[in-house]
Amino acid sequence: MTREPLVLGIETSCDETSAAVLRGERELLGHVIFTQDVHRLYGGVVPELASRAHLRTVDDVVDGALREAGVRLDEIDLVGVTAGPGLIGALLVGLAWGKAAAWGAGKPVIGVHHMEGHLFATHLEDPGAEPPFVGLLVSGGHTMLLWVPAWGDYRLLGATRDDAAGEAFDKAAKILGLEYPGGPAIQRAAASGDPKRHPLPRPLLNRGERLGDPEYYDMSFSGLKNALRLLVRKLEAEGVLADEVPHVAASFQAAVVDVLTQKTMRAVRDKGCRRVVLGGGVANSRALRDSIREKLGRGGELYAPSPRLSTDNAAMIARAALFRWRRGEVGGLDLNARADLPFPGLTRESAAVARG
Ligand code: KG4
Ligand code: ZN
């Protein structure tokens, strides 16, 4: 019997330094995620601080994952490392480490697209999360609605035209005086709020969009953020903001969730496929999961990663690297990081705008 390949995954695209040792498709032998909390002081990620923190911790994080797995570096069969998209200085730390380790051990290195990693995260935990499916990737940097007939074949249906969904949560939290990252903070505040008390708009929704219109699948969150800002200003002037924060948070969360759910359900109907796979940090949102699950109804299948695998992590990078390696896609030492790395296998369906 042939041995399952051992993959070392490394992720440093934003503010998590992470390493994982994966055996085969889903045996996670070691996994360390170091979240840089220095960014909390600034209410968002400061790129230069992120690069420096990666540099300081990457050795220990990789060592930690290997130790947990009980595996030596020379026993690894391949190294998969995030090559983009992300913060260029941050990406370079992991990429340089991964290339050097692979070269030292005489093993192949695979540059992984961070969002393909997010798409594979759920499959790592649950073999049911397999194509064909409607994919919704919602992170701090990206928002994409995909039709995935097969791994490696990604049809972009729609994307955000401005802020990503996670970014919208982060900015809204800042406006409301809540902490970073904004998604979890808004979720906590919203738990005791009434989402109907201060209705907010649902951009690019309910205006009679039809299949083929760019607005049909595309999303936009910056107008919603401005509506929130105006509402907060009004409540502040009335001197009632502190008491209203839970209601405003609930209302904002409901608006984002409603847009994401309805766009996803359009794809579910049009593709005749009731399997939906979520990826990215916003997939953590309980409200989003509940809403899509409810709309899918009985017979629908919703797959969402566990909290640890929904935000940035190296396990998903190792999993995507395994897929690319099996297809013979191995990088050389000239492999480079790109802040705007194109998504491999992504084609645009209809008039989707591939931004965000
Ligand atoms: O995928 P991720 O860890 O990083 C990127 O690749 O961007 O996603 C981080 C994003 C942040 O914007 C954070 O606010 C959001 O995921 N997030 C959430 C929740 N948990 C994390 N958004 C909404 N609800 C949540 N429960
Ligand atoms: Zn991410």
Side-chain angles (χ1 to χ4, degrees):
M1 207 180 82
T2 52
R3 186 172 69 81
E4 290 274 16
L6 279 172
V7 190
L8 171 66
I10 300 173
E11 155 65 37
T12 64
S13 69
C14 192
D15 58 345
E16 264 90 23
T17 317
S18 180
V21 178
L22 182 68
R23 179 157 60 201
E25 291 194 355
R26 54 181 55 86
E27 226 186 313
L28 197 51
L29 303 180
H31 194 199
V32 175
I33 304 173
F34 175 82
T35 299
Q36 308 170 354
D37 66 356
V38 58
H39 307 290
R40 278 173 194 272
L41 298 175
Y42 303 91
V45 178
V46 183
E48 190 51 35
L49 292 180
S51 316
R52 283 189 232 162
H54 286 306
L55 265 179
R56 274 198 306 275
T57 50
V58 66
D59 282 339
D60 290 340
V61 166
V62 179
D63 281 353
L66 288 168
R67 212 173 323 119
E68 190 184 334
V71 166
R72 289 191 319 269
L73 190 56
D74 61 1
E75 293 174 305
I76 291 287
D77 294 297
L78 62 141
V79 178
V81 51
T82 308
L87 305 169
I88 191 65
L91 286 164
L92 281 167
V93 175
L95 195 82
W97 206 104
K99 282 201 306 190
W103 185 69
K107 299 294 158 61
V109 61
I110 287 100
V112 173
H113 191 280
H114 181 81
M115 298 313 289
E116 187 172 38
H118 276 303
L119 203 56
F120 266 107
T122 314
H123 188 254
L124 200 157
E125 300 181 294
D126 192 335
E130 261 225 327
F133 62 77
V134 171
L136 179 66
L137 289 179
V138 271
S139 71
H142 295 81
T143 301
M144 293 184 215
L145 183 62
L146 302 169
W147 167 236
V148 182
W151 289 120
D153 183 358
Y154 308 126
R155 320 267 175 95
L156 182 67
L157 302 173
T160 181
R161 296 182 171 186
D162 35 63
D163 296 347
E167 185 183 359
F169 275 111
D170 294 338
K171 288 179 176 169
K174 208 167 183 176
I175 294 170
L176 284 169
L178 301 172
E179 63 179 21
Y180 174 86
I186 288 195
Q187 179 165 290
R188 278 193 300 277
S192 58
D194 171 7
K196 295 210 169 78
R197 193 165 154 125
H198 301 290
L200 285 167
R202 268 68 170 155
L204 299 187
L205 210 59
N206 301 329
R207 287 204 218 124
E209 304 96 357
R210 286 177 195 287
L211 184 62
D213 298 345
E215 295 79 21
Y216 184 74
Y217 284 129
D218 271 355
M219 290 155 265
S220 162
F221 297 109
S222 80
L224 174 61
K225 174 189 63 195
N226 290 333
L228 174 81
R229 194 173 276 130
L230 291 177
L231 171 63
V232 165
R233 244 180 241 157
K234 177 176 141 292
L235 296 172
E236 217 165 16
E238 292 167 5
V240 296
L241 181 60
D243 289 343
E244 297 299 314
V245 164
H247 306 303
V248 179
S251 184
F252 183 83
Q253 178 175 264
V256 175
V257 164
D258 201 14
V259 170
L260 293 173
T261 303
Q262 297 215 37
K263 300 282 172 171
T264 303
M265 291 312 296
R266 285 179 177 177
V268 163
R269 278 192 300 274
D270 298 338
K271 298 299 175 190
C273 175
R274 291 171 72 197
R275 183 181 299 156
V276 174
V277 173
L278 303 183
V282 185
N284 245 322
S285 164
R286 253 191 322 270
L288 178 64
R289 293 178 186 210
D290 290 349
S291 161
I292 296 181
R293 195 174 287 120
E294 190 204 314
K295 286 282 182 320
L296 277 172
R298 282 178 50 172
E301 300 168 54
L302 176 68
Y303 292 94
S306 63
R308 193 164 159 80
L309 291 196
S310 65
T311 49
D312 289 350
N313 68 85
M316 67 183 195
I317 300 303
R319 178 64 191 87
L322 179 65
F323 167 70
R324 293 282 158 195
W325 178 72
R326 283 176 170 163
R327 294 188 12 154
E329 297 173 25
V330 173
L333 281 183
D334 57 350
L335 180 68
N336 207 351
R338 270 185 69 178
D340 62 346
L341 187 72
F343 200 142
L346 187 81
T347 51
R348 289 183 205 183
E349 234 184 66
S350 74
V353 190
R355 254 179 278 151

